[in-house]
Amino acid sequence: MTSLVVKILLAYLLGSLSGSLLLGKLRKVDIRQQGSGNAGGTNAFRTQGLVFALPVVLIDVGKGLLAAGWIAPSGLLGSAAPASASVGMACGFAAVLGHCYPLWHGFRGGKGAATVVGALIVIAPWLLLPVAVTWLAVLLLTGYVSLATVLAGFSLVPAAWWLQDPELLLFASLVALFLLFTHRGNLRKLRGGTEYRFEGARRLFRKH
């Protein structure tokens, strides 16, 4: 039990390393003061461009991957041992929490989507297919990254249910509800007609 608590804590601390805020220090910019005020990849792209946003997303994905794939199976002070699926999920979710509420950055971080993807690469990579298809379809049809992310999160639930894995279904459900929670402000703006729309995606869809 002590080892599990330590792993979850380490995963949270790893998740607390925000890609946009660490790289932003090199530019002397805090993207939480710009755009949507969020420290995630979408706002990084919106306010700083692709060259800045791409490494931000890679860092945020990498946190989830390392938490579920390196911290979870690590023996820490003892020998390495294979992690159970539940330990990987717990560490992956802890990294997501760290990303959203980072200790190192005043508990103001991103919304967790990229770090969820990183954790899924280790935990259940086949679930990335419905996530990617849903996200791209909604983005191309509507232009709303936030809506695409929330619906992609909920696509995990039927996919996990189809695999008949109770632990995975619980993880998928928690992730879906958490992404809904972290995007609640975006959904309010969507209802009010003020949510940021990525028009480039819709133009690409109309061309095809």
Side-chain angles (χ1 to χ4, degrees):
M1 179 59 72
T2 301
S3 176
L4 175 60
V5 171
V6 171
K7 290 179 180 183
I8 290 174
L9 178 59
L10 288 175
Y12 166 78
L13 294 176
L14 174 63
S16 291
L17 297 172
S18 173
S20 66
L21 299 179
L22 291 173
L23 295 178
K25 290 183 182 298
L26 300 178
R27 286 197 178 191
K28 295 181 172 55
V29 62
D30 184 343
I31 67 167
R32 295 176 300 181
Q33 308 301 322
Q34 302 178 11
S36 66
N38 183 258
T42 300
N43 198 41
F45 175 74
R46 177 183 175 186
T47 61
Q48 304 297 316
L50 180 62
V51 174
F52 180 84
L54 184 57
V56 166
V57 172
L58 291 176
I59 290 171
D60 292 343
V61 169
K63 294 185 301 188
L65 192 154
L66 287 173
W70 178 59
I71 291 178
S74 172
L76 297 176
L77 299 178
S79 60
S84 69
S86 58
V87 174
M89 294 173 198
C91 288
F93 194 74
V96 174
L97 288 174
H99 175 78
C100 298
Y101 306 104
L103 176 65
W104 318 120
H105 306 289
F107 300 100
R108 291 180 55 212
K111 296 182 180 177
T115 308
V116 166
V117 169
L120 285 174
I121 291 173
V122 175
I123 295 166
W126 47 88
L127 290 185
L128 292 174
L129 179 58
V131 167
V133 170
T134 303
W135 189 85
L136 284 172
V138 176
L139 180 64
L140 290 173
L141 287 169
T142 70
Y144 292 115
V145 176
S146 56
L147 181 61
T149 302
V150 170
L151 293 179
F154 274 96
S155 75
L156 288 169
V157 178
W161 176 82
W162 184 75
L163 292 171
Q164 298 184 339
D165 184 333
E167 288 185 346
L168 189 58
L169 179 57
L170 176 61
F171 176 77
S173 300
L174 289 174
V175 164
L177 291 172
F178 188 70
L179 290 178
L180 177 65
F181 175 76
T182 59
H183 287 81
R184 64 196 184 282
N186 301 86
L187 297 179
R188 283 196 295 268
K189 290 180 181 179
L190 189 61
R191 287 195 298 270
T194 59
E195 174 67 344
Y196 173 75
R197 174 177 277 177
F198 182 41
E199 291 291 349
R202 298 182 73 222
R203 285 196 294 269
L204 179 64
F205 176 73
R206 286 197 292 267
K207 287 180 181 179
H208 293 81

